Amino acid sequence: MSSRHRRKSLNLFRPSLTPLSPIEPKDSSSDEQAVGKKKKGRQSSILSTFSTPASPASPVEPLDAEHVDRSDSPKARPRTLQKSNRSSVFGSIRSLKSLDDEEKLTRSHSKTSSQDEEEVTTPSSFKNLFGDVVIYHGEVQSSGGMFRKRTQYLVLTESYLICFRSHLKAAEMYPIIPAQSNKNHSSRQSVASFNSFQDTQLGVYNEIHSGIALDQIIGAYRLDDGRPYFSLEISYFDDHRTRGSSMHLQLNDPREADGWLDAIRSAASKAHSPEAPPFKTNILEYVARVLEHDRDYDPQHFHLFKVVQRASNKAASRTSSEDLSKLASTFSYLAIGINKIHLVPLPKMATRSTTALNELEVPLSFGMSTLTAISMQGGDDAFQLAFRIPLQKPYIVHLASSQATTIAMYIRQAAEYLRPQWLQQPFLINTRNPLDENALPPPDIEEDHACFDRTLVAYCAGYNADTSMIRYSIDYACEDAPSFRLFSPASPHRQTYTALELLAVMRALRYNESFTTISFSGIVLDELQRSYDPFGIDFDGMSTRSGTPLNIPGHQNLNILAQEVRALALKSKRLRRLDFSFSLTRIPSAVEGSRDPGCGLPEALSPLCKRSLTNVDWLVLNGIKLGESDLDYLVDAASERACHIRALEVSNCDLSVHDVDVLLSTLAVQESTLEVIDISGVQGRMSPELFQQQIGYFGHIRKINLARVQRTAGSEPLIAPETLLAWRLEELILSQTPMNEQTVDSISAYLASSRSDTLKELQLDQCGLSGKDLAVFFQSMTRQGQGGRKMHVSASENRLRNGYSALFDAIGKNMTPTHLTMRMIEFEKERHFQDLIQALIKNRTLKVLDISKASLPYNASAETCEDLQKMFSENQVLEELDISGEHAHLDVTRFGIGLNLALTGLKANHALKVLTIEHQNLGLQGANTLAEVLEANETLLEVHCENNDINLQSYSVLVNAVQKNRTILYLPTLVRDREACFDRIRREIEATNKRPDTPTSSNTALRRTFTAAKSLKGSRTPLPADQASKSQGTPPYTGQDIQAGLDTLGEKWDAQTARLQRLLTRNYHLAHGQSYEEEEEDGNNTRPSSPDRVMSSLSNTDSLSAILENMKVDRTPRDEKAENDVGLGIDMLNEKVIEANSNPSLGFGVSGT
């Protein structure tokens, strides 16, 4: 049939067409009353079992003519209705009755039921079955689902969409439909009266092919098959059987398609009852379990909808039944969780043997943060959701639902909850009519840091990143606070973040007005700096905070890191400082004739600063190798006064002296705003005269870093005193910069001036200073009657031996700052170290002192240790002290065993809060002394004692002391000591196994140590030599035996660590005035208090010998070769115990040296 001869649809929704006047039904109240009385007696009518189509709890079964009897006999008709009790909307008309009705209808041949049969066939009983009002009707071609390609006649009422086999049969059921086919008007709106039906019209029901209840329709939409205006799909869902199906309609006239689509959507919208529950409890529980499995279920943030996942086949060039069969739809539940959008497949019911349509095998989840677009087509229920993870292809989900607008509003609400600070969400909503902004309540934003954690979790969920790997801190006490700083991943197996993890953090920081400083210092950003996204661009980064499009040439050619940094600077008004120190390991291009593109960071920020589009005025690029392009962008920004640059930090950036000269000369226009200059590590020799001219422009410098700067030869100072006196410095760093006498005098003059009262940090490490020079600095900074100067001075690795007397005299006379660092002092004579200790006994101004890695000519003598003990007990001013040694391959610095005696002076100390004593080889005896200090001292808060050859026994001694101390807040878990102890044990045992027939001193010691450990289970007396020799034939310990013993030892170490954490948690709560319910400790956890009791404690179950003895009884599997090797008897440890008795500092077992 050609398109010009097709019947035109009369659509009541078209204003241009005037619908026919409805036909008023005649009064049939008497008939209805008669039927009502009969229904009270018994349900003999096949239609009396129907509920109204508006009730979703009891959907009306459609008709199926496959089993309908064609007989005209009115008594034979009920028999044709006796078949299966199918509840599908595809079922035959015989399934519209209950089983009880079937049994009752079997007696329809009796004379007593003849009257009932007449009442059954009364047309008025069908009044509420398929509806009274004919809204739309016409001839279509249908296919798909249960239907095959055929021409049928559709009738749309207020409650059903009915499919007749022919136009004539539809006209017989609804007389308002013309019996003759009208080519020009195929659709009418009318109201049909069932009371006008004749008895012969009941046969029309045999010609009904199928029917769809309008309240079961999920969506009506055009098919995307190449000819979108000629094919429609009606998808509907049966809640009782938890399955869905669809009807495909093919029309040759797009106006007919529009008419049917508008009519069906409008009628279905009216048929849905708002009071009916949308989902059953079992469905809600099923979907909730799916979301809980994905960690995305929150009852306060959960919305559920029925949707159809449409298949898109734009390649189809023509509409045919073959094409339509490929466009199978998938029914699922669309669940909006707290962080994701889920497409949950229908539950597989136990009673279902086959599946009519394709179903999802597993749920599909899409992060809310990856949503890029919501598109809703005008005139139908189809909509699309577009998602894209950075560096990946976009994924578009084609869906359909009559609730598409509601779904879009809830998705927008969920996105606003996850990103409450974003002024506009980073996805497009393409709709014909804009969504109502006030339809849903605004999100709750009552969380710390403007809901940063909430947004970060959402991005991690969308990018499939592990949130537990991300570590960060927020500092409120620093300059430009609050400061956000990202730390390395919380995993010992990797030191760098993935690209998506970094993007999750950066995008969570967008629009966040909680932070003034953002620092990625020390975080490797190379992967972002090398990456370009070929699948799309972040459009949100191409506009200002208010949404104004930003047109910066070359933006799309930037790497991802530069684009993200630009977006950070654009979107935050509070952000002032960005720190990227040592975050890139790039090496500039060295190809001759090529221009290095640079790292991209200056290129990202320079255009924004010049246009005043950002408040970032402090950029830290320390440790990044800058290219020529980077330097050009820095110079370009420095030349614009509108940039208001506050700091130039380019240390270790491979800049030459010429590059620094260009930068400093260009920065002259920033003389009113520049506060910080860091050009440390510049390559080449700097001229003091030229530097004075350039640096003299800036009168507001607060911090200057000139470390590792080489100067040209000459007698002039690096910084003239008049230049220093023009500043009110807070930090002056000259470490590793050689200082001549004139520079020392210049700094001394500045320290003596009141202009230096703001100075808090003075770093002079490796400057070639003598002790006399440092004493001059101390004398210059001292203010009479003001006590110690509140300043930190670092003067490590200088030639202090030239002028020890002057330096120690200044310390003894309280001419010192409050914080002093003098590491790696080489004392050629022990007397000099004693002079320092005597000065510290007298000093009352030092509060923090670091003299770690001090080198003595030999171990400290008894006299020196007594002086240390006196200093510990009498100095009641020091709050932090670091006396750590050093253990290197070529140098070992430690005080020796006498330090154990010196530590006892801390029992009387009431001022020291932090003690650092690493690399001093404390061993078991030192741990025992430190434990006694912890039991008596109530002011120590932190004790750092790593790398001291502490084994399990020593560790247990310290933990037992913490049990009695209720003020200590930090004690290390000694991870490195544990690893060193286990490695030493493994190496010695393996070395002994390899040379069983060649007894050496170490082998004999190991054998005797095992023997002593075994004998100590009953007595501390070693076994006789003859008994020890008998055990030499014992089978050896294999690698499995050794590992099993070490694993057991590790478990015991872990138990002590867990115990230590509980005790420190207790002390933390007590320090903050919080109640804490303390667990009862095991009575076996006691600390030996003397060397004799130390050795006797070796026999308890925590000792390695007991573990190996138990392992000897329960031997692990071994191979045949190991059975023939010469063994290590338990009698192999005798000599080690003898050595431990003679030298208690060795500790327990084989951990001694």
Side-chain angles (χ1 to χ4, degrees), residues 789-826:
R789 180 80 173 268
K790 293 182 179 179
M791 181 195 303
H792 175 226
V793 176
S794 180
S796 302
E797 301 182 69
N798 284 297
R799 298 192 298 266
L800 301 181
R801 61 179 176 273
N802 300 328
Y804 273 146
S805 58
L807 175 60
F808 298 155
D809 183 64
I811 294 176
K813 293 180 180 179
N814 298 322
M815 295 180 179
T816 60
T818 56
H819 297 66
L820 178 60
T821 300
M822 295 188 301
R823 296 173 184 161
M824 301 185 71
I825 304 177
E826 296 183 4

mmCIF file of all heavy atoms in Angstrom, residues 789-826:
data_model
loop_
_atom_site.group_PDB
_atom_site.id
_atom_site.type_symbol
_atom_site.label_atom_id
_atom_site.label_comp_id
_atom_site.label_asym_id
_atom_site.label_seq_id
_atom_site.Cartn_x
_atom_site.Cartn_y
_atom_site.Cartn_z
ATOM 1 N N ARG A 789 67.013 33.544 72.072
ATOM 2 C CA ARG A 789 66.353 34.055 70.864
ATOM 3 C C ARG A 789 65.500 32.949 70.260
ATOM 4 O O ARG A 789 65.964 31.827 70.029
ATOM 5 C CB ARG A 789 67.430 34.494 69.868
ATOM 6 C CG ARG A 789 66.893 35.058 68.558
ATOM 7 C CD ARG A 789 66.463 36.486 68.692
ATOM 8 N NE ARG A 789 66.110 37.027 67.387
ATOM 9 C CZ ARG A 789 66.972 37.667 66.588
ATOM 10 N NH1 ARG A 789 68.231 37.807 66.960
ATOM 11 N NH2 ARG A 789 66.565 38.166 65.440
ATOM 12 N N LYS A 790 64.231 33.256 69.992
ATOM 13 C CA LYS A 790 63.327 32.262 69.431
ATOM 14 C C LYS A 790 63.620 32.094 67.953
ATOM 15 O O LYS A 790 63.015 32.719 67.077
ATOM 16 C CB LYS A 790 61.876 32.684 69.649
ATOM 17 C CG LYS A 790 61.465 32.682 71.119
ATOM 18 C CD LYS A 790 60.004 33.057 71.284
ATOM 19 C CE LYS A 790 59.610 33.025 72.755
ATOM 20 N NZ LYS A 790 58.191 33.403 72.969
ATOM 21 N N MET A 791 64.587 31.247 67.692
ATOM 22 C CA MET A 791 65.068 31.049 66.337
ATOM 23 C C MET A 791 65.679 29.668 66.237
ATOM 24 O O MET A 791 66.167 29.111 67.236
ATOM 25 C CB MET A 791 66.122 32.118 65.995
ATOM 26 C CG MET A 791 66.693 32.022 64.587
ATOM 27 S SD MET A 791 68.204 33.012 64.394
ATOM 28 C CE MET A 791 67.614 34.626 64.852
ATOM 29 N N HIS A 792 65.648 29.116 65.036
ATOM 30 C CA HIS A 792 66.317 27.844 64.776
ATOM 31 C C HIS A 792 67.554 28.114 63.929
ATOM 32 O O HIS A 792 67.460 28.686 62.833
ATOM 33 C CB HIS A 792 65.401 26.872 64.040
ATOM 34 C CG HIS A 792 66.093 25.595 63.642
ATOM 35 N ND1 HIS A 792 65.984 25.034 62.381
ATOM 36 C CD2 HIS A 792 66.926 24.776 64.338
ATOM 37 C CE1 HIS A 792 66.698 23.925 62.324
ATOM 38 N NE2 HIS A 792 67.286 23.751 63.501
ATOM 39 N N VAL A 793 68.705 27.707 64.436
ATOM 40 C CA VAL A 793 69.965 27.846 63.724
ATOM 41 C C VAL A 793 70.487 26.455 63.423
ATOM 42 O O VAL A 793 70.625 25.613 64.321
ATOM 43 C CB VAL A 793 71.003 28.626 64.555
ATOM 44 C CG1 VAL A 793 72.340 28.671 63.830
ATOM 45 C CG2 VAL A 793 70.498 30.031 64.840
ATOM 46 N N SER A 794 70.768 26.211 62.163
ATOM 47 C CA SER A 794 71.332 24.925 61.733
ATOM 48 C C SER A 794 72.735 25.172 61.200
ATOM 49 O O SER A 794 72.913 25.895 60.213
ATOM 50 C CB SER A 794 70.453 24.287 60.641
ATOM 51 O OG SER A 794 70.991 23.061 60.230
ATOM 52 N N ALA A 795 73.717 24.568 61.888
ATOM 53 C CA ALA A 795 75.126 24.765 61.514
ATOM 54 C C ALA A 795 75.841 23.425 61.490
ATOM 55 O O ALA A 795 76.894 23.251 62.111
ATOM 56 C CB ALA A 795 75.797 25.726 62.491
ATOM 57 N N SER A 796 75.307 22.477 60.771
ATOM 58 C CA SER A 796 75.879 21.135 60.719
ATOM 59 C C SER A 796 77.021 21.076 59.707
ATOM 60 O O SER A 796 77.059 21.855 58.733
ATOM 61 C CB SER A 796 74.790 20.119 60.333
ATOM 62 O OG SER A 796 73.725 20.162 61.260
ATOM 63 N N GLU A 797 77.931 20.141 59.940
ATOM 64 C CA GLU A 797 79.031 19.827 59.025
ATOM 65 C C GLU A 797 79.892 21.057 58.709
ATOM 66 O O GLU A 797 80.235 21.315 57.568
ATOM 67 C CB GLU A 797 78.496 19.205 57.736
ATOM 68 C CG GLU A 797 77.710 17.925 57.963
ATOM 69 C CD GLU A 797 77.243 17.305 56.674
ATOM 70 O OE1 GLU A 797 78.100 16.822 55.913
ATOM 71 O OE2 GLU A 797 76.016 17.306 56.427
ATOM 72 N N ASN A 798 80.218 21.816 59.734
ATOM 73 C CA ASN A 798 81.144 22.937 59.590
ATOM 74 C C ASN A 798 82.445 22.620 60.333
ATOM 75 O O ASN A 798 82.535 21.627 61.068
ATOM 76 C CB ASN A 798 80.522 24.227 60.139
ATOM 77 C CG ASN A 798 79.478 24.809 59.194
ATOM 78 O OD1 ASN A 798 79.788 25.201 58.071
ATOM 79 N ND2 ASN A 798 78.229 24.834 59.645
ATOM 80 N N ARG A 799 83.432 23.465 60.160
ATOM 81 C CA ARG A 799 84.735 23.262 60.817
ATOM 82 C C ARG A 799 84.709 23.890 62.215
ATOM 83 O O ARG A 799 85.452 24.836 62.522
ATOM 84 C CB ARG A 799 85.832 23.869 59.961
ATOM 85 C CG ARG A 799 85.970 23.255 58.580
ATOM 86 C CD ARG A 799 87.260 23.700 57.908
ATOM 87 N NE ARG A 799 87.277 25.143 57.704
ATOM 88 C CZ ARG A 799 86.897 25.743 56.596
ATOM 89 N NH1 ARG A 799 86.428 25.021 55.579
ATOM 90 N NH2 ARG A 799 86.959 27.050 56.467
ATOM 91 N N LEU A 800 83.838 23.353 63.053
ATOM 92 C CA LEU A 800 83.665 23.937 64.378
ATOM 93 C C LEU A 800 84.845 23.674 65.299
ATOM 94 O O LEU A 800 84.960 24.318 66.355
ATOM 95 C CB LEU A 800 82.374 23.406 65.024
ATOM 96 C CG LEU A 800 81.082 23.666 64.252
ATOM 97 C CD1 LEU A 800 79.896 23.110 65.017
ATOM 98 C CD2 LEU A 800 80.898 25.154 63.965
ATOM 99 N N ARG A 801 85.682 22.703 64.921
ATOM 100 C CA ARG A 801 86.831 22.422 65.784
ATOM 101 C C ARG A 801 87.771 23.617 65.892
ATOM 102 O O ARG A 801 88.553 23.721 66.839
ATOM 103 C CB ARG A 801 87.582 21.196 65.251
ATOM 104 C CG ARG A 801 88.148 21.363 63.855
ATOM 105 C CD ARG A 801 88.895 20.107 63.427
ATOM 106 N NE ARG A 801 89.385 20.197 62.050
ATOM 107 C CZ ARG A 801 88.674 19.859 60.992
ATOM 108 N NH1 ARG A 801 87.433 19.398 61.163
ATOM 109 N NH2 ARG A 801 89.172 19.954 59.778
ATOM 110 N N ASN A 802 87.706 24.522 64.931
ATOM 111 C CA ASN A 802 88.485 25.752 65.011
ATOM 112 C C ASN A 802 87.698 26.789 65.819
ATOM 113 O O ASN A 802 86.928 27.580 65.283
ATOM 114 C CB ASN A 802 88.789 26.301 63.610
ATOM 115 C CG ASN A 802 89.581 25.332 62.769
ATOM 116 O OD1 ASN A 802 90.398 24.567 63.299
ATOM 117 N ND2 ASN A 802 89.355 25.355 61.464
ATOM 118 N N GLY A 803 87.856 26.743 67.088
ATOM 119 C CA GLY A 803 87.154 27.683 67.958
ATOM 120 C C GLY A 803 86.160 27.009 68.869
ATOM 121 O O GLY A 803 85.110 27.596 69.186
ATOM 122 N N TYR A 804 86.454 25.742 69.306
ATOM 123 C CA TYR A 804 85.560 25.041 70.211
ATOM 124 C C TYR A 804 85.348 25.837 71.494
ATOM 125 O O TYR A 804 84.228 25.944 72.009
ATOM 126 C CB TYR A 804 86.137 23.667 70.562
ATOM 127 C CG TYR A 804 85.757 22.575 69.584
ATOM 128 C CD1 TYR A 804 86.652 21.547 69.295
ATOM 129 C CD2 TYR A 804 84.505 22.557 68.977
ATOM 130 C CE1 TYR A 804 86.318 20.539 68.413
ATOM 131 C CE2 TYR A 804 84.172 21.556 68.095
ATOM 132 C CZ TYR A 804 85.069 20.541 67.808
ATOM 133 O OH TYR A 804 84.740 19.552 66.934
ATOM 134 N N SER A 805 86.418 26.386 72.027
ATOM 135 C CA SER A 805 86.319 27.052 73.324
ATOM 136 C C SER A 805 85.361 28.230 73.258
ATOM 137 O O SER A 805 84.541 28.442 74.170
ATOM 138 C CB SER A 805 87.717 27.499 73.787
ATOM 139 O OG SER A 805 88.306 28.380 72.817
ATOM 140 N N ALA A 806 85.457 29.044 72.191
ATOM 141 C CA ALA A 806 84.564 30.196 72.065
ATOM 142 C C ALA A 806 83.109 29.768 71.910
ATOM 143 O O ALA A 806 82.193 30.369 72.496
ATOM 144 C CB ALA A 806 84.989 31.061 70.884
ATOM 145 N N LEU A 807 82.886 28.701 71.122
ATOM 146 C CA LEU A 807 81.515 28.223 70.901
ATOM 147 C C LEU A 807 80.919 27.674 72.186
ATOM 148 O O LEU A 807 79.779 28.033 72.558
ATOM 149 C CB LEU A 807 81.516 27.162 69.802
ATOM 150 C CG LEU A 807 80.184 26.473 69.515
ATOM 151 C CD1 LEU A 807 79.131 27.494 69.073
ATOM 152 C CD2 LEU A 807 80.354 25.391 68.455
ATOM 153 N N PHE A 808 81.652 26.811 72.898
ATOM 154 C CA PHE A 808 81.109 26.194 74.100
ATOM 155 C C PHE A 808 80.957 27.224 75.216
ATOM 156 O O PHE A 808 80.059 27.106 76.057
ATOM 157 C CB PHE A 808 82.013 25.050 74.542
ATOM 158 C CG PHE A 808 82.117 23.944 73.509
ATOM 159 C CD1 PHE A 808 83.229 23.110 73.473
ATOM 160 C CD2 PHE A 808 81.116 23.753 72.572
ATOM 161 C CE1 PHE A 808 83.329 22.105 72.531
ATOM 162 C CE2 PHE A 808 81.215 22.748 71.623
ATOM 163 C CZ PHE A 808 82.333 21.922 71.594
ATOM 164 N N ASP A 809 81.833 28.241 75.210
ATOM 165 C CA ASP A 809 81.682 29.300 76.194
ATOM 166 C C ASP A 809 80.388 30.069 75.964
ATOM 167 O O ASP A 809 79.692 30.435 76.925
ATOM 168 C CB ASP A 809 82.888 30.235 76.123
ATOM 169 C CG ASP A 809 82.842 31.315 77.175
ATOM 170 O OD1 ASP A 809 82.904 30.971 78.377
ATOM 171 O OD2 ASP A 809 82.711 32.494 76.787
ATOM 172 N N ALA A 810 80.048 30.331 74.682
ATOM 173 C CA ALA A 810 78.779 31.024 74.373
ATOM 174 C C ALA A 810 77.581 30.174 74.776
ATOM 175 O O ALA A 810 76.579 30.697 75.286
ATOM 176 C CB ALA A 810 78.732 31.365 72.888
ATOM 177 N N ILE A 811 77.667 28.859 74.575
ATOM 178 C CA ILE A 811 76.564 27.982 74.969
ATOM 179 C C ILE A 811 76.414 27.980 76.483
ATOM 180 O O ILE A 811 75.287 28.031 77.017
ATOM 181 C CB ILE A 811 76.805 26.560 74.427
ATOM 182 C CG1 ILE A 811 76.746 26.560 72.901
ATOM 183 C CG2 ILE A 811 75.773 25.593 75.003
ATOM 184 C CD1 ILE A 811 77.076 25.216 72.272
ATOM 185 N N GLY A 812 77.544 27.897 77.202
ATOM 186 C CA GLY A 812 77.466 27.892 78.658
ATOM 187 C C GLY A 812 76.933 29.185 79.228
ATOM 188 O O GLY A 812 76.375 29.204 80.337
ATOM 189 N N LYS A 813 77.089 30.303 78.510
ATOM 190 C CA LYS A 813 76.615 31.605 78.981
ATOM 191 C C LYS A 813 75.210 31.941 78.460
ATOM 192 O O LYS A 813 74.790 33.096 78.521
ATOM 193 C CB LYS A 813 77.595 32.693 78.550
ATOM 194 C CG LYS A 813 78.953 32.588 79.232
ATOM 195 C CD LYS A 813 79.879 33.705 78.761
ATOM 196 C CE LYS A 813 81.233 33.617 79.442
ATOM 197 N NZ LYS A 813 82.166 34.695 78.979
ATOM 198 N N ASN A 814 74.503 30.955 77.945
ATOM 199 C CA ASN A 814 73.115 31.119 77.479
ATOM 200 C C ASN A 814 72.995 32.068 76.298
ATOM 201 O O ASN A 814 71.955 32.702 76.098
ATOM 202 C CB ASN A 814 72.221 31.612 78.624
ATOM 203 C CG ASN A 814 72.153 30.627 79.772
ATOM 204 O OD1 ASN A 814 72.120 29.403 79.553
ATOM 205 N ND2 ASN A 814 72.149 31.123 80.998
ATOM 206 N N MET A 815 74.061 32.165 75.477
ATOM 207 C CA MET A 815 73.993 32.979 74.255
ATOM 208 C C MET A 815 73.649 32.084 73.065
ATOM 209 O O MET A 815 74.415 31.944 72.114
ATOM 210 C CB MET A 815 75.333 33.685 74.020
ATOM 211 C CG MET A 815 75.705 34.701 75.077
ATOM 212 S SD MET A 815 77.293 35.498 74.717
ATOM 213 C CE MET A 815 77.422 36.631 76.095
ATOM 214 N N THR A 816 72.500 31.492 73.110
ATOM 215 C CA THR A 816 72.094 30.547 72.070
ATOM 216 C C THR A 816 70.642 30.796 71.680
ATOM 217 O O THR A 816 69.871 31.376 72.457
ATOM 218 C CB THR A 816 72.232 29.095 72.563
ATOM 219 O OG1 THR A 816 71.409 28.915 73.714
ATOM 220 C CG2 THR A 816 73.681 28.772 72.911
ATOM 221 N N PRO A 817 70.271 30.359 70.499
ATOM 222 C CA PRO A 817 68.840 30.370 70.158
ATOM 223 C C PRO A 817 68.124 29.243 70.900
ATOM 224 O O PRO A 817 68.747 28.402 71.564
ATOM 225 C CB PRO A 817 68.846 30.144 68.645
ATOM 226 C CG PRO A 817 70.078 29.350 68.391
ATOM 227 C CD PRO A 817 71.098 29.849 69.398
ATOM 228 N N THR A 818 66.840 29.209 70.767
ATOM 229 C CA THR A 818 66.073 28.152 71.437
ATOM 230 C C THR A 818 66.194 26.820 70.709
ATOM 231 O O THR A 818 66.037 25.768 71.337
ATOM 232 C CB THR A 818 64.596 28.556 71.525
ATOM 233 O OG1 THR A 818 64.111 28.846 70.208
ATOM 234 C CG2 THR A 818 64.425 29.775 72.414
ATOM 235 N N HIS A 819 66.490 26.825 69.420
ATOM 236 C CA HIS A 819 66.598 25.600 68.635
ATOM 237 C C HIS A 819 67.963 25.600 67.940
ATOM 238 O O HIS A 819 68.302 26.554 67.227
ATOM 239 C CB HIS A 819 65.494 25.513 67.577
ATOM 240 C CG HIS A 819 64.114 25.444 68.157
ATOM 241 N ND1 HIS A 819 63.558 26.481 68.861
ATOM 242 C CD2 HIS A 819 63.177 24.457 68.122
ATOM 243 C CE1 HIS A 819 62.324 26.135 69.245
ATOM 244 N NE2 HIS A 819 62.071 24.923 68.810
ATOM 245 N N LEU A 820 68.712 24.537 68.142
ATOM 246 C CA LEU A 820 70.067 24.453 67.594
ATOM 247 C C LEU A 820 70.313 23.073 67.027
ATOM 248 O O LEU A 820 70.026 22.060 67.682
ATOM 249 C CB LEU A 820 71.110 24.763 68.674
ATOM 250 C CG LEU A 820 72.587 24.660 68.257
ATOM 251 C CD1 LEU A 820 72.891 25.632 67.119
ATOM 252 C CD2 LEU A 820 73.496 24.902 69.450
ATOM 253 N N THR A 821 70.848 23.037 65.799
ATOM 254 C CA THR A 821 71.205 21.780 65.146
ATOM 255 C C THR A 821 72.684 21.834 64.769
ATOM 256 O O THR A 821 73.099 22.700 63.988
ATOM 257 C CB THR A 821 70.354 21.551 63.884
ATOM 258 O OG1 THR A 821 68.977 21.494 64.250
ATOM 259 C CG2 THR A 821 70.747 20.247 63.204
ATOM 260 N N MET A 822 73.437 20.885 65.336
ATOM 261 C CA MET A 822 74.871 20.781 65.016
ATOM 262 C C MET A 822 75.207 19.298 64.825
ATOM 263 O O MET A 822 75.762 18.644 65.705
ATOM 264 C CB MET A 822 75.733 21.378 66.133
ATOM 265 C CG MET A 822 75.555 22.861 66.341
ATOM 266 S SD MET A 822 76.751 23.568 67.516
ATOM 267 C CE MET A 822 76.404 22.606 68.985
ATOM 268 N N ARG A 823 74.853 18.772 63.685
ATOM 269 C CA ARG A 823 75.088 17.362 63.403
ATOM 270 C C ARG A 823 76.511 17.149 62.866
ATOM 271 O O ARG A 823 77.124 18.059 62.321
ATOM 272 C CB ARG A 823 74.079 16.840 62.372
ATOM 273 C CG ARG A 823 72.637 16.871 62.840
ATOM 274 C CD ARG A 823 71.705 16.503 61.711
ATOM 275 N NE ARG A 823 70.309 16.600 62.100
ATOM 276 C CZ ARG A 823 69.310 16.681 61.251
ATOM 277 N NH1 ARG A 823 69.558 16.710 59.944
ATOM 278 N NH2 ARG A 823 68.065 16.766 61.681
ATOM 279 N N MET A 824 76.930 15.893 63.024
ATOM 280 C CA MET A 824 78.203 15.435 62.459
ATOM 281 C C MET A 824 79.377 16.307 62.921
ATOM 282 O O MET A 824 80.197 16.760 62.127
ATOM 283 C CB MET A 824 78.122 15.394 60.929
ATOM 284 C CG MET A 824 77.026 14.485 60.408
ATOM 285 S SD MET A 824 77.011 14.301 58.626
ATOM 286 C CE MET A 824 78.501 13.291 58.422
ATOM 287 N N ILE A 825 79.456 16.554 64.227
ATOM 288 C CA ILE A 825 80.616 17.242 64.797
ATOM 289 C C ILE A 825 81.717 16.207 65.030
ATOM 290 O O ILE A 825 81.486 15.171 65.663
ATOM 291 C CB ILE A 825 80.251 17.937 66.125
ATOM 292 C CG1 ILE A 825 79.081 18.896 65.931
ATOM 293 C CG2 ILE A 825 81.458 18.676 66.689
ATOM 294 C CD1 ILE A 825 78.608 19.559 67.200
ATOM 295 N N GLU A 826 82.889 16.463 64.537
ATOM 296 C CA GLU A 826 84.023 15.561 64.708
ATOM 297 C C GLU A 826 84.890 16.047 65.875
ATOM 298 O O GLU A 826 85.549 17.086 65.790
ATOM 299 C CB GLU A 826 84.853 15.490 63.428
ATOM 300 C CG GLU A 826 84.099 14.898 62.246
ATOM 301 C CD GLU A 826 84.991 14.780 61.020
ATOM 302 O OE1 GLU A 826 86.191 15.096 61.135
ATOM 303 O OE2 GLU A 826 84.474 14.376 59.965
#
